[in-house]
């Protein structure tokens, strides 16, 4: 019985040490620098989006690893396409900044915006959409999932 308890304690200790090693080697640092200020900026952006009445949508799902044509539609409060804006897309992983990449979109004839994006890994991704029109600016975030395989 004493030997069993010793073996269980050794295994628990080893698992704890392994967890600490993996956790400290994969953590990139602070999740959000200046969280209070970031929260205030987030609140201000949401208030501004409500005032502008802008919304966005993504087309061309499902997404796969490799090259994807990402289509973004931006609508005003009357649900009319906002075809005279600058739209920048940033693709990022929720768990790391290592794969963050920014793409400038190209306005299409139908009023939407398109960018060729590269999704290097399978799994969850965040699409950050920054819309600028005249002096107005709004940011949007849409979560997507990329399946395995290239298009």
């Amino acid at each position: 019985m004493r030997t069993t308890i010793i073996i269980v304690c050794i295994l628990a200790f080893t698992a704890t040490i392994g967890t600490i090693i993996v956790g400290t080697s994969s953590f990139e640092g602070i999740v959000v620098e200046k969280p209070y200020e970031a929260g205030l900026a987030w609140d201000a952006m949401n208030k501004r989006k409500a005032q502008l009445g802008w919304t966005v949508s993504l087309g061309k799902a499902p997404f796969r690893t490799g090259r994807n044509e990402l289509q973004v539609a931006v609508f005003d409060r009357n649900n009319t396409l906002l075809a005279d804006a600058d739209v920048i897309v940033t693709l990022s992983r929720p768990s790391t900044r290592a794969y963050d990449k920014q793409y400038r979109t190209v306005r299409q004839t139908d009023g939407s915006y398109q960018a060729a994006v590269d999704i290097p890994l399978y799994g969850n991704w965040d699409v950050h959409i920054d819309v600028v029109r005249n002096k107005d600016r709004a940011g949007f975030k849409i979560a997507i999932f990329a399946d395995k395989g290239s298009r």
Side-chain angles (χ1 to χ4, degrees), residues 104-142:
R104 185 164 290 282
T105 62
V106 176
R107 187 175 306 123
Q108 303 299 298
T109 56
D110 66 356
S112 65
Y113 301 86
Q114 189 169 340
V117 300
D118 182 48
I119 303 177
L121 299 173
Y122 158 82
N124 294 314
W125 289 85
D126 288 330
V127 179
H128 301 270
I129 303 164
D130 193 30
V131 181
V132 179
R133 180 181 183 210
N134 301 323
K135 293 183 180 183
D136 295 322
R137 164 174 262 155
F140 302 86
K141 182 172 103 172
I142 299 174

Side-chain angles (χ1 to χ4, degrees), residues 44-54 77:
M45 180 63 73
N46 281 336
K47 184 178 179 182
R48 187 66 184 142
K49 284 192 299 191
Q51 289 172 341
L52 293 170
W54 294 351
R77 74 175 61 260

Side-chain angles (χ1 to χ4, degrees), residues 12-148:
F13 181 72
T14 304
T16 303
I17 295 299
T19 303
I20 291 170
I21 290 170
V22 169
T24 57
S25 66
S26 63
F27 183 61
E28 292 184 351
I30 297 173
V31 176
V32 175
E33 292 187 34
K34 299 183 179 181
Y36 179 73
E37 290 82 357
L40 291 176
W42 186 81
D43 287 343
M45 180 63 73
N46 281 336
K47 184 178 179 182
R48 187 66 184 142
K49 284 192 299 191
Q51 289 172 341
L52 293 170
W54 294 351
T55 58
V56 298
S57 68
L58 288 181
K60 307 262 184 182
F63 300 101
R64 303 201 181 282
T65 56
R67 185 178 173 92
N68 289 265
E69 293 298 325
L70 186 70
Q71 189 150 4
V72 179
V74 183
F75 300 95
D76 65 12
R77 74 175 61 260
N78 300 319
N79 209 26
T80 305
L81 280 170
L82 201 65
D84 58 345
D86 290 319
V87 178
I88 298 173
V89 173
T90 303
L91 198 63
S92 66
R93 291 282 272 188
S95 59
T96 180
R97 295 182 189 159
Y99 298 99
D100 288 8
K101 188 160 184 193
Q102 193 174 75
Y103 300 91
R104 185 164 290 282
T105 62
V106 176
R107 187 175 306 123
Q108 303 299 298
T109 56
D110 66 356
S112 65
Y113 301 86
Q114 189 169 340
V117 300
D118 182 48
I119 303 177
L121 299 173
Y122 158 82
N124 294 314
W125 289 85
D126 288 330
V127 179
H128 301 270
I129 303 164
D130 193 30
V131 181
V132 179
R133 180 181 183 210
N134 301 323
K135 293 183 180 183
D136 295 322
R137 164 174 262 155
F140 302 86
K141 182 172 103 172
I142 299 174
I144 64 168
F145 185 83
D147 289 323
K148 291 182 181 177

